[in-house]
Amino acid sequence: SHFGSSTFHFVIGAMCPAWCPSLVALIVVSAARGDTINAAQHSLQKLRAFREQQTPSLESVAQILREMISRAEASAIRDMTKTQYCREEAKRLLTQTKRTKRQFKEKQARMELLRAAEAKCGYTCPQYSRIQMDLVNARKDVEHELTMASILKDQVKHLENWCT
């Protein structure tokens, strides 16, 4: 026969305190998702511990939920296919490539502005030392972005080799 949701809540409510239906539902979902027997046993141990307490603390309930979320995330990572990984990693690398390209242009433009300020100022102007320090930092920033671009190229090459 078919149990309606009100019947389910009545039966569970008669057997458990107010927090129990949520945990039972989470365990059912966990089982449907194919969690390991160890994960189910762990959830049952937590339920037994709750039963021994008259009123579990909200922190105890929150900890169970955090553990279940952690197991679900670990399961999702484990179940990710090669195609899904390649797609997600390609998106991440594309975003990183755009960011690095933009940052490189910004750092290079700053360095050019500082070079123009250096040429305009000459060796005798009061800001010369400050401009020189800023130029050193700008040059390092540009070099960093070039290094990041090189690393991204390597990552893309390796991803392409693995995914094709």
Side-chain angles (χ1 to χ4, degrees), residues 6-143:
S6 62
T7 305
F8 174 78
H9 286 293
F10 172 75
V11 170
I12 294 299
M15 297 174 10
C16 299
W19 50 266
C20 196
S22 299
L23 288 175
V24 170
L26 286 170
I27 291 170
V28 169
V29 169
S30 179
R33 227 185 42 248
D35 276 355
T36 64
I37 291 173
N38 288 340
Q41 287 173 339
H42 180 73
S43 295
L44 285 174
Q45 287 171 351
K46 291 290 187 178
L47 277 175
R48 283 188 198 113
F50 276 146
R51 199 174 13 193
E52 292 170 7
Q53 300 174 4
Q54 287 295 50
T55 307
S57 70
L58 288 177
E59 183 54 37
S60 297
V61 172
Q63 182 59 34
I64 286 224
L65 294 173
R66 283 191 290 271
E67 290 170 3
M68 293 184 87
I69 289 168
S70 177
R71 286 195 306 269
E73 288 171 349
S75 175
I77 290 170
R78 211 176 31 250
D79 295 341
M80 183 180 278
T81 66
K82 181 177 178 181
T83 303
Q84 289 169 322
Y85 172 80
C86 290
R87 181 176 40 250
E88 293 301 315
E89 186 64 7
K91 286 178 186 178
R92 187 190 71 77
L93 289 172
L94 180 60
T95 300
Q96 185 63 37
T97 300
K98 289 175 183 177
R99 183 181 311 123
T100 300
K101 186 177 179 181
R102 178 182 42 78
Q103 289 175 340
F104 174 75
K105 287 180 180 179
E106 290 170 1
K107 307 289 180 175
Q108 198 172 31
R110 174 159 167 66
M111 192 167 72
E112 293 304 319
L113 285 173
L114 288 167
R115 283 185 180 152
E118 176 189 37
K120 182 179 178 184
C121 176
Y123 297 107
T124 58
C125 100
Q127 294 87 14
Y128 183 76
S129 294
R130 181 75 236 163
I131 291 171
Q132 288 301 307
M133 287 303 300
D134 289 346
L135 259 172
V136 167
N137 291 331
R139 195 173 308 115
K140 287 181 180 181
D141 288 345
V142 168
E143 289 170 1

